[in-house]
Amino acid sequence: MIKDVIVSLSATNKRDPAADYAISLAALFGAHIAGVAYAQDPLLPTAVVGQIPEDFIHDLRRAAETGARAAAARFDKAAVKAGLSVETHVIGESGSRAADLFGEIARRFDLSVVGQPQGDRDGVEELIAEGALFESGRPAIVVPYIQREGLKLDRALVCWDGSRAAARAVGDALPFLTRTKNVHVVTVLPDHGKSDELAGVDVGQHLARHGIKVEVHRIAAADIDVASAILSYAADQSADFLVMGGYGHSRLREFVLGGVTRTILQSMTLPALMSH
């Protein structure tokens, strides 16, 4: 069961899709929810730091803290209005250290919710998503920045390739999948019909034993990449929830996302539960 949820808050936008989604999710499960906002130090070129007045840098830091506390206050108000048990935290760290801290805090929760990276100039949003996925040891839901609705579970899409990460994602997603009206298990093949093996059938049977209505599909991706095939199929089926393994590795403690994971994060149009 989902009883503890943590969400990364946006201090730059008053409309925060990840926060709204997390609140709707916590309300469905009757879960406690925590929000984390970031009072980041200003990102300034090293060459000009000594030329900038201390008062100006202090004002930037104070504005960042004010924005973070305002985001936390908005979140707290919305969560209380939804009838939830809520806590908020403001982290006075930047960049990779903020991502590490979020991942460490998220270890004490059932699930983390983060916003889709939007290519911000210092890459903090992507670092937070990576921290949630690779540092927490818990599943993470990434919410598109275009998301307008709360949690919806009419039709879920499970990406299956038989890997450890995919198996972990299926297990972590069970509290959601058991509430979903219809689940499509999808395996992407480089050449449709090339193999006689019915990939995904076994995991489909596993989900069916949990009382889940399941359809198993194989889709070809001979002319397009795997991530595009997944997102195209999700759009065709009007899917509202995606489940997949999150792939990547560490290079001197710098995360390098796998190609499919990175493309999904860049182009996603529906919330995705990812596990590593």
Side-chain angles (χ1 to χ4, degrees):
M1 289 295 292
I2 306 296
K3 288 300 177 184
D4 254 338
V5 178
I6 187 169
V7 57
S8 174
L9 305 176
S10 172
T12 57
N13 300 311
K14 289 187 176 181
R15 193 186 81 82
D16 189 342
D20 294 342
Y21 192 88
I23 288 172
S24 71
L25 186 159
L28 175 65
F29 288 99
H32 174 78
I33 191 166
V36 178
Y38 312 92
Q40 300 175 44
D41 284 339
L43 185 66
L44 301 171
T46 304
V48 301
V49 168
Q51 305 173 30
I52 299 176
E54 285 291 331
D55 288 348
F56 179 72
I57 295 177
H58 177 73
D59 288 344
L60 291 177
R61 286 175 175 160
R62 185 168 55 184
E65 182 172 353
T66 298
R69 295 197 178 280
R74 287 193 300 270
F75 172 76
D76 185 85
K77 182 179 179 180
V80 169
K81 185 178 179 180
L84 299 176
S85 166
V86 59
E87 64 182 276
T88 58
H89 303 271
V90 174
I91 293 178
E93 300 282 354
S94 298
S96 60
R97 182 54 187 152
D100 287 345
L101 279 174
F102 183 79
E104 291 167 12
I105 296 171
R107 293 169 189 169
R108 305 190 293 272
F109 291 80
D110 295 318
L111 174 76
S112 61
V113 180
V114 299
Q116 176 191 12
Q118 297 186 56
D120 54 326
R121 63 177 183 173
D122 51 3
V124 171
E125 290 174 338
E126 183 169 318
L127 288 173
I128 295 298
E130 292 171 352
L133 183 58
F134 296 112
E135 286 289 348
S136 70
R138 300 289 190 167
I141 292 181
V142 185
V143 180
Y145 55 78
I146 62 171
Q147 186 74 17
R148 294 286 178 179
E149 297 180 314
L151 176 64
K152 189 177 179 183
L153 295 171
D154 288 341
R155 182 168 294 175
L157 181 63
V158 173
C159 303
W160 182 254
D161 61 2
S163 67
R164 171 199 167 280
R168 174 72 183 273
V170 168
D172 288 338
L174 278 177
F176 297 91
L177 299 179
T178 53
R179 288 169 167 79
T180 304
K181 295 178 181 178
N182 188 268
V183 174
H184 286 212
V185 174
V186 173
T187 298
V188 180
L189 301 175
D191 185 5
H192 188 65
K194 185 175 181 179
S195 172
D196 292 331
E197 180 185 357
L198 294 177
V201 168
D202 288 345
V203 76
Q205 292 172 342
H206 167 67
L207 293 175
R209 293 185 185 107
H210 283 272
I212 299 169
K213 183 179 179 182
V214 183
E215 298 179 25
V216 177
H217 299 270
R218 296 190 299 174
I219 56 177
D223 299 323
I224 59 176
D225 61 89
V226 171
S228 296
I230 291 169
L231 292 175
S232 177
Y233 185 87
D236 290 343
Q237 297 299 321
S238 299
D240 43 46
F241 194 73
L242 179 67
V243 176
M244 63 177 288
Y247 300 90
H249 63 276
S250 176
R251 183 183 60 197
L252 298 178
R253 300 193 77 250
E254 293 182 1
F255 294 117
V256 181
L257 289 173
V260 173
T261 304
R262 180 175 295 279
T263 303
I264 291 288
L265 288 177
Q266 291 173 342
S267 307
M268 64 194 307
T269 54
L270 74 168
L273 183 148
M274 296 184 177
S275 296
H276 177 65

